[in-house]
Amino acid sequence: MMAMHGSSAPPADLDLSRSKATEKGVFLASVEPEAGSFKQGELHSWVLTVKKPDGTPVEDATIAVDGGMPDHNHGLPTSPQATAHLGEGRYRVEGVKFNMGGWWVLRFAISSPAGDDEAVFNLTL
Ligand SMILES: [Cu+2]
């Protein structure tokens, strides 16, 4: 095997769960690729589901998307946007692309009358 270009491996205990409480516990958030899977280098969509801790869907949230590769100090190659509320607290996020393999972070800033919070998800590819 050739050595990688100085990149370190992600932490061994990296949380790769796609469903979790948001940072301050205001919401439960989960993410999935809209098509069920995705390929490196391809533009695709994710669905973010936002619920209150009691399971009630959050219907009126504003979502901002950010992310990048913590090991490489760069952000996302695109600027994904939440483009539609699909009902039952599900929000379509379009314009996601991962242009290289490794450890990626997707960060969703969620604002709603119930409060503001952030959901951070790790992905490895
Ligand atoms: Cu990178």
Side-chain angles (χ1 to χ4, degrees), residues 7-115:
S7 64
S8 53
D13 61 350
L14 191 65
D15 174 13
L16 295 172
S17 63
R18 290 193 177 173
S19 192
K20 63 177 70 171
T22 51
E23 301 290 290
K24 294 183 287 187
V26 177
F27 308 110
L28 298 173
S30 52
V31 284
E32 56 185 0
E34 188 166 23
S37 63
F38 62 89
K39 287 190 181 136
Q40 184 181 325
E42 280 184 8
L43 214 51
H44 62 282
S45 300
W46 285 70
V47 173
L48 169 71
T49 303
V50 185
K51 294 182 175 177
K52 293 181 186 169
D54 68 1
T56 310
V58 176
E59 307 282 1
D60 43 13
T62 303
I63 315 286
V65 189
D66 189 8
M69 297 188 81
D71 280 345
H72 297 179
N73 294 313
H74 65 73
L76 298 170
T78 58
S79 298
Q81 304 283 331
T83 54
H85 180 218
L86 306 172
E88 299 183 337
R90 301 167 75 245
Y91 298 83
R92 177 182 290 127
V93 175
E94 288 188 76
V96 181
K97 186 161 95 171
F98 303 108
N99 58 333
M100 58 196 294
W103 172 24
W104 289 87
V105 166
L106 273 182
R107 187 178 296 109
F108 300 92
I110 304 165
S111 301
S112 90

